[in-house]
Amino acid sequence: MPRGRAGARAPRSRLGLSRCRSSEIVLSPAILLSALLNGLLTGAVYALIALGLTLIYGVLHIINFAHGALLTAAMFAAYFAFKTFHLDPYVAVFLLTPAFFVLGYALQRFVIGPASHGDDRNMLLVTLGLAVIIENALLFEFRADTRTIELPYAFATINLGFTFLAVPRILGLVAAFVVAAVLWLMINLSDIGRAIRAVAKEKLGAQLVGVDVAHVYAVTFGLGTACIAVAACLLVPTYYVNPTAGNAFVLVAFTIVVLGGMGSIPGALIGGFVTGVVESLSGLFLGESLGQIGIFLTFIFVLLVRPRGLFGAGA
Amino acid sequence: MRDDVLLSICGLHAGYGETEVLRGIDLVIHEGEIVAVLGSNGVGKSTLNRTISGIVRASAGTIRFAGIAIERERPRDIVALGLIHVPEGRRIFPNLTVLENLDLGSYRRASSRRALNRERVFSIFPRLYERRSQLAGTLSGGEQQMLAIGRGLMAEPRLIILDEPSLGLSPLLVEELFALIRRLNAGGVSIMLVEQNVVQSLEVAHRAYILAEGRFLMSGTAGDIASDPELKRTYLGL
């Protein structure tokens, strides 16, 4: 995870202490295991963000450059839901997820789609423009200030005996699996899900059975945006919010999408977990601030060995 | 003038950007007919189909289906009326199973009778039943053509446009295909058969149009066209 505020790492700072005391403890199985678990928990949030990105890529065949800005917007929404309406982020998630689905649907249907004038490649540029607009609107309205919210349980941990697991991250893991399961069921068992998969591979054929491609594109974009609303609500309790807060996550999510295979849902999930673990372990061995180096080394390695990604279909 | 006109096209012009492909098409299909539209490559057959089904916008002219003007309608609304286009190259969904492909055939129309229509399609194509859980992309060319037609039938078409259905099939399968077209028609489906395969198309069709360079060169009963010596020599290369 990009470096959060200092206190956000309660369980890890305990490990940090023991690491300072004696170097051989670093390699003890308990510490490795706890780094592994923490990596999995961080990876869950990565996976959620990557899930939205890969879904949009798989169907619309564009990289959604507005993903980071929309994540930031969702984090602001969760922040103000708490500050203004005293809504706990874990409650707000049930309102923000459908709200961001509608927002994503409307953006694609009424802004990105029409602005691309029938050429799908133009959508990429429109999302880029949208990102600039959203980011600067947030900057204009809220300035570059970094904001945080205080929740009593934000630093609560569960003691597993050999390690402590942060409660917000465990919730993140649960949420990632719930979202992935709901998406999977929807995509595989509903008519709109079948239409989404059909449009992804055979647009003309889909039009000729009466599928409204603009609607399917918008639903897909809405689902991708809903995924980041869930991620935002999971991040806000332990992470700061400012007008560029989402970008660091989406940069990692881009590498996950490529790592897992562009457009692959299991790829995004597993890629997310792998990336979380790699970051956590390289943080353990190289030092906290160098954790992300591991991600990009893994990324380059996977691209060298398997250019289509872990679960990517052939060209 | 017969009063059972299902599809009527008047003065249709269409194309892509600056290029005009269709230059004044007039065509009528009556309820229960098999009408062949014949012509060699690049004369505008696929553009005609795509314009009828709303994928390509008409620049001029009218298209009426079952009494409703459809030249400004979207593809989804044209499908909803029961005008189903089985495109050239099959355009099945390779990443979906055979069963899912069929189910999507009833995405916009006849979805309440999906199970019933599935049974009907499987009775016409027992092969598709054997392959129902397989990904459509793994089917052979002939099976994919069956699936494309089966997917079209799932929507209970009033008129089905078959674009080059015999393309790429073995002679034996082509024989079977034309027998199937007769059977479907006997079952009450009107058919617009767009083909390069002139001889066999004229055998099953009631009437035929010959398309050349964006216009109909001639039209008439299949028998008359088959026996026109001039046509045989110059346009059909027989």
Side-chain angles (χ1 to χ4, degrees):
Chain A
M1 185 172 294
R3 304 193 69 193
R5 44 192 223 261
R9 304 208 163 230
R12 277 280 275 288
S13 25
R14 286 164 200 271
L15 298 176
L17 276 179
S18 46
R19 189 168 57 195
C20 293
R21 265 204 310 270
S22 142
S23 58
E24 61 267 28
I25 298 178
V26 170
L27 296 173
S28 87
I31 288 176
L32 271 181
L33 192 60
S34 82
L36 205 76
L37 283 174
N38 270 306
L40 283 178
L41 301 186
T42 308
V45 175
Y46 286 157
L48 270 176
I49 300 167
L51 215 52
L53 205 56
T54 209
L55 192 64
I56 293 171
Y57 177 81
V59 179
L60 282 74
H61 307 294
I62 55 151
I63 289 167
N64 174 21
F65 279 112
H67 214 60
L70 285 168
L71 175 62
T72 311
M75 287 166 81
F76 268 103
Y79 172 84
F80 283 108
F82 181 79
K83 282 288 176 193
T84 314
F85 303 106
H86 308 291
L87 267 183
D88 190 293
Y90 295 109
V91 177
V93 71
F94 293 101
L95 299 174
L96 288 179
T97 305
F100 269 75
F101 173 83
V102 172
L103 174 71
Y105 184 98
L107 275 179
Q108 170 61 36
R109 187 90 200 229
F110 306 114
V111 180
I112 302 172
S116 338
H117 293 283
D119 188 347
D120 288 358
R121 281 167 302 181
N122 291 342
M123 289 197 288
L124 182 127
L125 293 174
V126 181
T127 65
L128 191 60
L130 211 56
V132 174
I133 292 171
I134 294 172
E135 245 174 56
N136 285 286
L138 291 172
L139 195 60
F140 178 78
E141 189 60 33
F142 305 118
R143 323 218 160 266
D145 300 340
T146 291
R147 299 152 196 255
T148 56
I149 61 175
E150 304 300 331
L151 289 167
Y153 53 79
F155 304 113
T157 55
I158 293 174
N159 189 347
L160 292 184
F162 63 92
T163 186
F164 295 87
L165 293 181
V167 169
R169 291 194 185 181
I170 295 175
L171 290 173
L173 184 70
V174 174
F177 275 109
V178 169
V179 169
V182 168
L183 273 183
W184 189 90
L185 288 174
M186 194 190 141
I187 291 215
N188 281 291
L189 301 179
S190 72
D191 254 17
I192 184 73
R194 279 187 281 266
I196 286 173
R197 283 183 292 143
V199 168
K201 279 279 188 296
E202 182 45 73
K203 203 166 117 182
L204 178 63
Q207 282 176 298
L208 291 178
V209 298
V211 170
D212 184 341
V213 172
H215 173 70
V216 165
Y217 276 4
V219 167
T220 308
F221 205 90
L223 288 174
T225 313
C227 284
I228 46 181
V230 179
C233 291
L234 296 171
L235 282 173
V236 159
T238 58
Y239 202 76
Y240 60 82
V241 185
N242 72 25
T244 54
N247 291 345
F249 291 96
V250 172
L251 182 64
V252 175
F254 274 133
T255 67
I256 291 170
V257 168
V258 178
L259 196 73
M262 310 275 285
S264 159
I265 287 179
L269 261 191
I270 291 171
F273 287 122
V274 167
T275 303
V277 169
V278 165
E279 184 188 42
S280 171
L281 289 180
S282 45
L284 182 69
F285 290 114
L286 306 174
E288 190 79 12
S289 58
L290 294 177
Q292 293 214 333
I293 283 187
I295 298 181
F296 296 108
L297 287 178
T298 314
F299 177 63
I300 292 168
F301 177 74
V302 170
L303 281 191
L304 284 175
V305 177
R306 201 177 156 80
R308 65 170 84 146
L310 298 173
F311 291 83
Chain B
M1 190 75 183
R2 291 162 65 173
D3 58 358
D4 57 350
V5 173
L6 189 56
L7 181 77
S8 68
I9 299 178
C10 260
L12 184 68
H13 288 251
Y16 307 92
E18 297 287 293
T19 321
E20 189 163 65
V21 179
L22 302 180
R23 288 176 280 185
I25 295 279
D26 299 290
L27 173 146
V28 170
I29 296 176
H30 300 100
E31 205 93 54
E33 266 190 318
I34 301 179
V35 172
V37 173
L38 306 171
S40 46
N41 248 335
V43 295
K45 298 196 302 293
S46 285
T47 305
L48 174 61
N49 296 337
R50 287 179 180 209
T51 311
I52 296 173
S53 46
I55 305 282
V56 173
R57 274 260 171 272
S59 47
T62 61
I63 308 172
R64 294 182 77 81
F65 178 69
I68 299 162
I70 58 166
E71 71 272 4
R72 294 269 168 267
E73 294 287 349
R74 292 177 294 175
R76 45 168 286 186
D77 299 318
I78 293 169
V79 169
L81 291 172
L83 200 171
I84 308 298
H85 173 185
V86 177
E88 182 188 354
R90 290 129 203 179
R91 302 286 182 168
I92 53 151
F93 309 121
N95 53 331
L96 272 62
T97 65
V98 167
L99 210 53
E100 289 176 321
N101 267 271
L102 290 180
D103 286 355
L104 271 176
S106 54
Y107 179 83
R108 185 64 62 188
R109 187 177 149 88
S111 59
S112 60
R113 289 178 298 283
R114 181 174 287 176
L116 188 80
N117 287 326
R118 243 194 227 159
E119 292 308 310
R120 200 166 64 100
V121 170
F122 285 145
S123 72
I124 299 172
F125 304 109
R127 192 57 167 273
L128 291 184
Y129 181 72
E130 292 166 25
R131 300 258 189 262
R132 65 191 178 282
S133 311
Q134 225 170 293
L135 289 184
T138 66
L139 299 182
S140 72
E143 289 166 343
Q144 291 192 8
Q145 187 60 60
M146 291 178 197
L147 180 58
I149 296 175
R151 184 179 70 183
L153 294 177
M154 289 295 290
E156 301 181 354
R158 296 184 65 185
L159 172 67
I160 194 164
I161 300 176
L162 300 175
D163 192 350
E164 305 270 12
S166 73
L167 200 69
L169 299 189
S170 70
L172 198 67
L173 280 176
V174 172
E175 204 66 54
E176 266 181 48
L177 178 87
F178 281 100
L180 169 77
I181 289 172
R182 266 205 194 92
R183 273 205 327 273
L184 289 179
N185 181 246
V189 185
S190 308
I191 295 169
M192 175 170 153
L193 177 62
V194 182
E195 265 289 354
Q196 291 189 49
N197 187 333
V198 174
V199 178
Q200 274 160 308
S201 299
L202 286 177
E203 277 171 19
V204 299
H206 301 118
R207 290 188 304 116
Y209 291 81
I210 310 296
L211 189 63
E213 289 163 15
R215 284 195 191 89
F216 283 132
L217 193 74
M218 89 184 276
S219 67
T221 66
D224 287 350
I225 286 191
S227 56
D228 188 297
E230 179 70 7
L231 189 82
K232 265 187 181 174
R233 200 163 46 79
T234 56
Y235 275 91
L236 307 179
L238 299 175

